[in-house]
PDB file of all heavy atoms in Angstrom:
ATOM      1  N   GLY A 259     -11.532  -0.183   3.819  1.00 98.00           N
ATOM      2  CA  GLY A 259     -12.919  -0.657   3.900  1.00 98.00           C
ATOM      3  C   GLY A 259     -13.475  -1.237   2.607  1.00 98.00           C
ATOM      4  O   GLY A 259     -14.113  -2.303   2.616  1.00 98.00           O
ATOM      5  N   ALA A 260     -13.215  -0.566   1.499  1.00 98.00           N
ATOM      6  CA  ALA A 260     -13.814  -1.004   0.222  1.00 98.00           C
ATOM      7  C   ALA A 260     -13.072  -2.186  -0.398  1.00 98.00           C
ATOM      8  O   ALA A 260     -13.391  -2.595  -1.519  1.00 98.00           O
ATOM      9  CB  ALA A 260     -13.856   0.175  -0.755  1.00 98.00           C
ATOM     10  N   SER A 261     -12.081  -2.748   0.322  1.00 98.00           N
ATOM     11  CA  SER A 261     -11.408  -3.940  -0.223  1.00 98.00           C
ATOM     12  C   SER A 261     -11.962  -5.232   0.373  1.00 98.00           C
ATOM     13  O   SER A 261     -11.604  -6.329  -0.055  1.00 98.00           O
ATOM     14  CB  SER A 261      -9.896  -3.876   0.043  1.00 98.00           C
ATOM     15  OG  SER A 261      -9.603  -4.055   1.418  1.00 98.00           O
ATOM     16  N   LEU A 262     -12.850  -5.112   1.364  1.00 98.00           N
ATOM     17  CA  LEU A 262     -13.289  -6.313   2.089  1.00 98.00           C
ATOM     18  C   LEU A 262     -14.276  -7.156   1.293  1.00 98.00           C
ATOM     19  O   LEU A 262     -14.351  -8.365   1.476  1.00 98.00           O
ATOM     20  CB  LEU A 262     -13.918  -5.908   3.428  1.00 98.00           C
ATOM     21  CG  LEU A 262     -12.953  -5.286   4.445  1.00 98.00           C
ATOM     22  CD1 LEU A 262     -13.717  -4.720   5.636  1.00 98.00           C
ATOM     23  CD2 LEU A 262     -11.932  -6.316   4.912  1.00 98.00           C
ATOM     24  N   LYS A 263     -15.026  -6.514   0.429  1.00 98.00           N
ATOM     25  CA  LYS A 263     -15.993  -7.248  -0.405  1.00 98.00           C
ATOM     26  C   LYS A 263     -15.474  -7.233  -1.835  1.00 98.00           C
ATOM     27  O   LYS A 263     -15.213  -6.164  -2.410  1.00 98.00           O
ATOM     28  CB  LYS A 263     -17.362  -6.588  -0.340  1.00 98.00           C
ATOM     29  CG  LYS A 263     -18.005  -6.694   1.032  1.00 98.00           C
ATOM     30  CD  LYS A 263     -19.509  -6.957   0.897  1.00 98.00           C
ATOM     31  CE  LYS A 263     -20.135  -7.453   2.180  1.00 98.00           C
ATOM     32  NZ  LYS A 263     -19.954  -6.539   3.312  1.00 98.00           N
ATOM     33  N   ALA A 264     -15.382  -8.415  -2.430  1.00 98.00           N
ATOM     34  CA  ALA A 264     -14.770  -8.539  -3.760  1.00 98.00           C
ATOM     35  C   ALA A 264     -15.457  -7.650  -4.791  1.00 98.00           C
ATOM     36  O   ALA A 264     -14.783  -7.020  -5.612  1.00 98.00           O
ATOM     37  CB  ALA A 264     -14.811  -9.999  -4.206  1.00 98.00           C
ATOM     38  N   ASP A 265     -16.781  -7.564  -4.728  1.00 98.00           N
ATOM     39  CA  ASP A 265     -17.476  -6.775  -5.758  1.00 98.00           C
ATOM     40  C   ASP A 265     -17.173  -5.285  -5.628  1.00 98.00           C
ATOM     41  O   ASP A 265     -16.972  -4.601  -6.630  1.00 98.00           O
ATOM     42  CB  ASP A 265     -18.985  -7.046  -5.701  1.00 98.00           C
ATOM     43  CG  ASP A 265     -19.307  -8.429  -6.245  1.00 98.00           C
ATOM     44  OD1 ASP A 265     -19.131  -9.409  -5.498  1.00 98.00           O
ATOM     45  OD2 ASP A 265     -19.679  -8.530  -7.421  1.00 98.00           O
ATOM     46  N   ASP A 266     -17.107  -4.789  -4.389  1.00 98.00           N
ATOM     47  CA  ASP A 266     -16.742  -3.374  -4.175  1.00 98.00           C
ATOM     48  C   ASP A 266     -15.313  -3.130  -4.668  1.00 98.00           C
ATOM     49  O   ASP A 266     -15.019  -2.136  -5.327  1.00 98.00           O
ATOM     50  CB  ASP A 266     -16.773  -3.008  -2.682  1.00 98.00           C
ATOM     51  CG  ASP A 266     -18.167  -3.090  -2.092  1.00 98.00           C
ATOM     52  OD1 ASP A 266     -19.137  -3.139  -2.874  1.00 98.00           O
ATOM     53  OD2 ASP A 266     -18.270  -3.122  -0.848  1.00 98.00           O
ATOM     54  N   PHE A 267     -14.427  -4.044  -4.298  1.00 98.00           N
ATOM     55  CA  PHE A 267     -13.009  -3.880  -4.634  1.00 98.00           C
ATOM     56  C   PHE A 267     -12.825  -3.937  -6.153  1.00 98.00           C
ATOM     57  O   PHE A 267     -12.055  -3.156  -6.718  1.00 98.00           O
ATOM     58  CB  PHE A 267     -12.214  -4.986  -3.933  1.00 98.00           C
ATOM     59  CG  PHE A 267     -10.724  -4.782  -3.937  1.00 98.00           C
ATOM     60  CD1 PHE A 267     -10.160  -3.564  -3.589  1.00 98.00           C
ATOM     61  CD2 PHE A 267      -9.869  -5.831  -4.254  1.00 98.00           C
ATOM     62  CE1 PHE A 267      -8.773  -3.389  -3.568  1.00 98.00           C
ATOM     63  CE2 PHE A 267      -8.493  -5.672  -4.233  1.00 98.00           C
ATOM     64  CZ  PHE A 267      -7.942  -4.449  -3.897  1.00 98.00           C
ATOM     65  N   TYR A 268     -13.563  -4.833  -6.789  1.00 98.00           N
ATOM     66  CA  TYR A 268     -13.438  -4.923  -8.243  1.00 98.00           C
ATOM     67  C   TYR A 268     -13.909  -3.628  -8.912  1.00 98.00           C
ATOM     68  O   TYR A 268     -13.394  -3.241  -9.965  1.00 98.00           O
ATOM     69  CB  TYR A 268     -14.197  -6.146  -8.801  1.00 98.00           C
ATOM     70  CG  TYR A 268     -13.878  -6.311 -10.265  1.00 98.00           C
ATOM     71  CD1 TYR A 268     -12.664  -6.842 -10.673  1.00 98.00           C
ATOM     72  CD2 TYR A 268     -14.767  -5.850 -11.240  1.00 98.00           C
ATOM     73  CE1 TYR A 268     -12.333  -6.922 -12.015  1.00 98.00           C
ATOM     74  CE2 TYR A 268     -14.449  -5.927 -12.582  1.00 98.00           C
ATOM     75  CZ  TYR A 268     -13.233  -6.468 -12.954  1.00 98.00           C
ATOM     76  OH  TYR A 268     -12.899  -6.532 -14.285  1.00 98.00           O
ATOM     77  N   GLY A 269     -14.838  -2.932  -8.280  1.00 98.00           N
ATOM     78  CA  GLY A 269     -15.275  -1.626  -8.803  1.00 98.00           C
ATOM     79  C   GLY A 269     -14.117  -0.639  -8.868  1.00 98.00           C
ATOM     80  O   GLY A 269     -14.064   0.216  -9.761  1.00 98.00           O
ATOM     81  N   ILE A 270     -13.190  -0.738  -7.930  1.00 98.00           N
ATOM     82  CA  ILE A 270     -12.002   0.135  -7.938  1.00 98.00           C
ATOM     83  C   ILE A 270     -11.010  -0.351  -8.998  1.00 98.00           C
ATOM     84  O   ILE A 270     -10.477   0.444  -9.775  1.00 98.00           O
ATOM     85  CB  ILE A 270     -11.361   0.165  -6.528  1.00 98.00           C
ATOM     86  CG1 ILE A 270     -12.345   0.782  -5.531  1.00 98.00           C
ATOM     87  CG2 ILE A 270     -10.035   0.931  -6.555  1.00 98.00           C
ATOM     88  CD1 ILE A 270     -11.961   0.633  -4.077  1.00 98.00           C
ATOM     89  N   ILE A 271     -10.804  -1.655  -9.042  1.00 98.00           N
ATOM     90  CA  ILE A 271      -9.891  -2.233 -10.050  1.00 98.00           C
ATOM     91  C   ILE A 271     -10.344  -1.826 -11.454  1.00 98.00           C
ATOM     92  O   ILE A 271      -9.536  -1.453 -12.309  1.00 98.00           O
ATOM     93  CB  ILE A 271      -9.890  -3.782  -9.907  1.00 98.00           C
ATOM     94  CG1 ILE A 271      -9.254  -4.164  -8.572  1.00 98.00           C
ATOM     95  CG2 ILE A 271      -9.197  -4.461 -11.091  1.00 98.00           C
ATOM     96  CD1 ILE A 271      -9.517  -5.609  -8.152  1.00 98.00           C
ATOM     97  N   SER A 272     -11.646  -1.882 -11.683  1.00 97.00           N
ATOM     98  CA  SER A 272     -12.144  -1.633 -13.043  1.00 97.00           C
ATOM     99  C   SER A 272     -12.079  -0.156 -13.428  1.00 97.00           C
ATOM    100  O   SER A 272     -12.248   0.187 -14.596  1.00 97.00           O
ATOM    101  CB  SER A 272     -13.551  -2.203 -13.257  1.00 97.00           C
ATOM    102  OG  SER A 272     -14.421  -1.653 -12.329  1.00 97.00           O
ATOM    103  N   ALA A 273     -11.789   0.732 -12.462  1.00 97.00           N
ATOM    104  CA  ALA A 273     -11.532   2.139 -12.832  1.00 97.00           C
ATOM    105  C   ALA A 273     -10.380   2.199 -13.832  1.00 97.00           C
ATOM    106  O   ALA A 273     -10.309   3.106 -14.664  1.00 97.00           O
ATOM    107  CB  ALA A 273     -11.208   2.965 -11.592  1.00 97.00           C
ATOM    108  N   TYR A 274      -9.466   1.237 -13.720  1.00 97.00           N
ATOM    109  CA  TYR A 274      -8.299   1.224 -14.624  1.00 97.00           C
ATOM    110  C   TYR A 274      -8.646   0.808 -16.045  1.00 97.00           C
ATOM    111  O   TYR A 274      -7.804   0.939 -16.933  1.00 97.00           O
ATOM    112  CB  TYR A 274      -7.158   0.376 -14.030  1.00 97.00           C
ATOM    113  CG  TYR A 274      -6.315   1.231 -13.124  1.00 97.00           C
ATOM    114  CD1 TYR A 274      -6.490   1.200 -11.754  1.00 97.00           C
ATOM    115  CD2 TYR A 274      -5.378   2.114 -13.641  1.00 97.00           C
ATOM    116  CE1 TYR A 274      -5.753   2.041 -10.919  1.00 97.00           C
ATOM    117  CE2 TYR A 274      -4.636   2.953 -12.833  1.00 97.00           C
ATOM    118  CZ  TYR A 274      -4.830   2.905 -11.474  1.00 97.00           C
ATOM    119  OH  TYR A 274      -4.105   3.746 -10.674  1.00 97.00           O
ATOM    120  N   ASP A 275      -9.864   0.358 -16.263  1.00 94.00           N
ATOM    121  CA  ASP A 275     -10.277   0.046 -17.643  1.00 94.00           C
ATOM    122  C   ASP A 275     -10.237   1.310 -18.502  1.00 94.00           C
ATOM    123  O   ASP A 275     -10.014   1.246 -19.701  1.00 94.00           O
ATOM    124  CB  ASP A 275     -11.695  -0.529 -17.685  1.00 94.00           C
ATOM    125  CG  ASP A 275     -11.752  -1.903 -17.037  1.00 94.00           C
ATOM    126  OD1 ASP A 275     -10.672  -2.459 -16.746  1.00 94.00           O
ATOM    127  OD2 ASP A 275     -12.872  -2.395 -16.801  1.00 94.00           O
ATOM    128  N   GLN A 276     -10.501   2.457 -17.837  1.00 89.00           N
ATOM    129  CA  GLN A 276     -10.539   3.723 -18.591  1.00 89.00           C
ATOM    130  C   GLN A 276      -9.255   4.547 -18.427  1.00 89.00           C
ATOM    131  O   GLN A 276      -9.184   5.665 -18.864  1.00 89.00           O
ATOM    132  CB  GLN A 276     -11.706   4.594 -18.104  1.00 89.00           C
ATOM    133  CG  GLN A 276     -13.055   4.207 -18.686  1.00 89.00           C
ATOM    134  CD  GLN A 276     -13.779   3.276 -17.735  1.00 89.00           C
ATOM    135  OE1 GLN A 276     -13.814   3.511 -16.540  1.00 89.00           O
ATOM    136  NE2 GLN A 276     -14.327   2.187 -18.271  1.00 89.00           N
TER     137      GLN A 276
END
Side-chain angles (χ1 to χ4, degrees):
S261 70
L262 293 171
K263 293 219 164 58
D265 287 80
D266 295 345
F267 193 47
Y268 188 76
I270 297 169
I271 293 165
S272 58
Y274 273 99
D275 292 350
Q276 279 95 45

